Amino acid sequence: MSDENGTPAAPAGSPAPHPEPLRLFGTTWVDHDNGYPLRRVGATAGSFVAAVVSCLVLRFAYQGLQIADTGAFVTVLVVAMFAICSALAFRTTWDSFTRRPDPDRQASLRGLLAIGFVGSLLAYFFRSLTEAPGEKLHREEYEAALKQHEKRSTRRSGNPSKKRRRG
């Protein structure tokens, strides 16, 4: 649950905001507990293995083009398409770890991200080497929500009717 700025909002009736769970990590990213290091190793290894397997699948597709003898032009077009889409998918996925993506833009890029799946897997792999993918963004939002909650809860002190008026 988030407010209009993307910061996690406190649920109704709750005294403080709650951290937003990350895919594969839940809320273990907050205190790095409950198997967080093991989950990071698993996410890193899993995304790397998936990227390698994906490259092998693309290699078979390339060999299929060679066998079909479609010509150099089609082969270059297909290879360029996968390379460009993978680069764009990498950049889009990498940026989504540091700021909230625009939902409309994400919807329009869905096809490109599907074609460039290798780039998305590699972005996930490289980010998981240093942190849980998206952890920095979620931590900044969570800490801002905690500060805002603390500011709101400690703002008023004393009896407001005894407040001295400026004249």
Side-chain angles (χ1 to χ4, degrees):
M1 174 180 335
S2 301
D3 66 6
E4 62 277 352
N5 296 329
T7 57
S14 175
H18 297 287
E20 189 176 341
L22 286 173
R23 185 183 316 152
L24 303 177
F25 293 91
T27 57
T28 61
W29 59 269
V30 176
D31 296 321
H32 293 189
D33 59 354
N34 295 331
Y36 172 83
L38 190 59
R39 291 176 192 221
R40 273 237 346 254
V41 168
T44 304
S47 58
F48 182 73
V49 168
V52 169
V53 169
S54 298
C55 287
L56 289 174
V57 169
L58 289 178
R59 173 81 175 139
F60 292 139
Y62 177 78
Q63 286 177 341
L65 287 173
Q66 294 277 316
I67 292 170
D69 197 28
T70 56
F73 180 71
V74 172
T75 303
V76 168
L77 267 173
V78 169
V79 169
M81 175 195 64
F82 275 107
I84 292 169
C85 289
S86 289
L88 291 172
F90 180 91
R91 181 62 183 194
T92 302
T93 305
W94 190 263
D95 287 345
S96 73
F97 296 142
T98 55
R99 67 178 181 277
R100 295 268 177 188
D102 176 32
D104 294 333
R105 184 170 186 267
Q106 285 294 106
S108 67
L109 291 176
R110 188 170 293 136
L112 180 131
L113 293 173
I115 294 170
F117 60 98
V118 175
S120 292
L121 290 169
L122 288 175
Y124 203 85
F125 166 71
F126 286 120
R127 181 58 78 160
S128 63
L129 289 173
T130 58
E131 68 174 7
E135 178 181 345
K136 182 179 178 184
L137 171 68
H138 283 74
R139 186 171 303 282
E140 288 171 355
E141 291 175 350
Y142 179 58
E143 288 174 356
L146 284 176
K147 280 183 184 175
Q148 188 177 29
H149 173 74
E150 182 180 314
K151 193 176 180 181
R152 274 184 291 180
S153 63
T154 60
R155 185 182 317 160
R156 297 177 73 183
S157 62
N159 188 347
S161 65
K162 293 183 179 180
K163 185 178 175 185
R164 232 178 65 198
R165 305 234 182 234
R166 292 184 196 169

